[in-house]
Amino acid sequence: MLLPKPLYANIIDSYTPRNNIVFHALAGRIDANGGTTLSSGIASAISLFTAGGRTDVLKYIIMLTDREGSYDTALTKRAADHGIVIYTVGLGSSILTSVLTSMAQGTDSSTQNYVGLIKNYVVQELRNNNGDLSRLKFDPNSSRNIVNNYVNQFPTSPYPVFTEKSNLALSLAIHAFHGHNITVKDFKINGNQFSGKLAFHFYDHFGLDADDEINFPGFMDWFTLQHFKLFNGKYVPFITTIDYELPFSGSVN
């Protein structure tokens, strides 16, 4: 457990198995003195994982902050390189959301790989077609949707999937997205240079389907409430949405 200070992070307990009683006691030792440097807290947390110990365990950092703070983005890549997933929690209204969002997104390799794949394909298509956005438009009544066809050509789907080994929390909350749409924002062409943003809107229903593992009484009740026809759709699952933006740029051939 770490406490960020203006120029350093104070480790108040080493990385050892603890029960809830001990965690409550440790939490009581955290105070709100000092400034807010996110870098020191993240760097110290990464060091706890990389200093040695077991390599066959899931690695998570939960960053809680109530202020805007300085942060070295190189630490996000360092965490990702070591298989460490960062979760961020902003407390109050004085936080810098963009920093916390990029910190969390940067260690989500499954989504990063997918949006990077789409970005590279979009840039290549725009480069080869004089920046013509109309080629990328999705038409549900047509089979000539080049982005959708590109993704579907892979023998193994590149779509983001969260597993217990890669991201335990999201494997339970999402596992795999039900669908998404992609919008091009702020698109500009200046001479032979183009730029813009890809806005991904992922969504998933937090429900149970027939092929899910329904082995426990609570899950059986959950499935019954969702699917039993006599309830007439009263207990529908809620929808989880995730928005992800990625800038792109290039030049036409």
Side-chain angles (χ1 to χ4, degrees):
M1 192 170 289
L2 301 162
L3 177 61
K5 290 290 187 180
L7 298 175
Y8 62 92
N10 181 27
I11 301 175
I12 62 175
D13 188 63
S14 60
Y15 182 70
T16 53
R18 299 292 185 181
N19 58 36
N20 288 336
I21 295 177
V22 175
F23 270 124
H24 281 299
L26 292 171
R29 294 168 57 188
I30 299 177
D31 61 62
N33 296 324
T36 302
T37 170
L38 306 180
S39 293
S40 60
I42 293 295
S44 296
I46 293 173
S47 297
L48 288 177
F49 283 115
T50 58
R54 293 175 57 188
T55 59
D56 60 338
V57 294
L58 302 174
K59 304 173 185 178
Y60 298 110
I61 295 173
I62 302 175
M63 164 61 77
L64 298 92
T65 182
D66 62 353
R67 292 284 190 275
E68 293 185 15
S70 59
Y71 182 66
D72 180 2
T73 56
L75 291 170
T76 302
K77 185 179 185 307
R78 184 182 171 199
D81 290 343
H82 286 90
I84 301 170
V85 177
I86 301 177
Y87 294 104
T88 59
V89 180
L91 308 173
S93 58
S94 300
I95 60 170
L96 192 59
T97 305
S98 60
V99 172
L100 299 184
T101 299
S102 63
M103 191 187 301
Q105 288 179 342
T107 57
D108 172 13
S109 60
S110 182
T111 307
Q112 286 269 359
N113 292 340
Y114 179 73
V115 298
L117 183 76
I118 299 299
K119 170 189 172 182
N120 292 338
Y121 181 73
V122 167
V123 168
Q124 188 63 41
E125 283 296 317
L126 292 172
R127 178 178 292 133
N128 293 337
N129 294 279
N130 295 315
D132 183 7
L133 273 180
S134 65
R135 285 180 52 82
L136 302 174
K137 185 177 180 180
F138 179 80
D139 181 356
N141 298 315
S142 172
S143 61
R144 299 183 62 184
N145 294 298
I146 63 172
V147 177
N148 186 61
N149 294 341
Y150 170 71
V151 172
N152 289 333
Q153 73 173 343
F154 292 92
T156 302
S157 174
Y159 210 49
V161 175
F162 307 104
T163 67
E164 293 182 359
K165 291 185 177 180
S166 65
N167 196 315
L168 183 60
L170 291 184
S171 72
L172 177 61
I174 296 176
H175 176 61
F177 293 113
H178 190 76
H180 75 307
N181 57 48
I182 307 170
T183 305
V184 176
K185 299 172 58 177
D186 303 330
F187 185 68
K188 298 177 182 177
I189 296 182
N190 185 9
N192 69 337
Q193 302 294 313
F194 60 83
S195 63
K197 291 181 181 178
L198 289 175
F200 295 80
H201 181 70
F202 296 97
Y203 58 89
D204 183 56
H205 65 84
F206 194 74
L208 290 175
D209 297 317
D211 58 348
D212 286 317
E213 297 183 11
I214 308 171
N215 301 321
F216 303 100
F219 280 69
M220 296 175 189
D221 296 338
W222 179 0
F223 184 86
T224 302
L225 288 171
Q226 180 183 333
H227 293 282
F228 192 33
K229 292 182 179 179
L230 290 182
F231 291 133
N232 197 28
K234 180 179 179 180
Y235 303 101
V236 297
F238 62 82
I239 303 298
T240 300
T241 62
I242 294 179
D243 294 302
Y244 196 115
E245 288 193 358
L246 189 67
F248 68 88
S249 61
S251 57
V252 298
N253 290 333

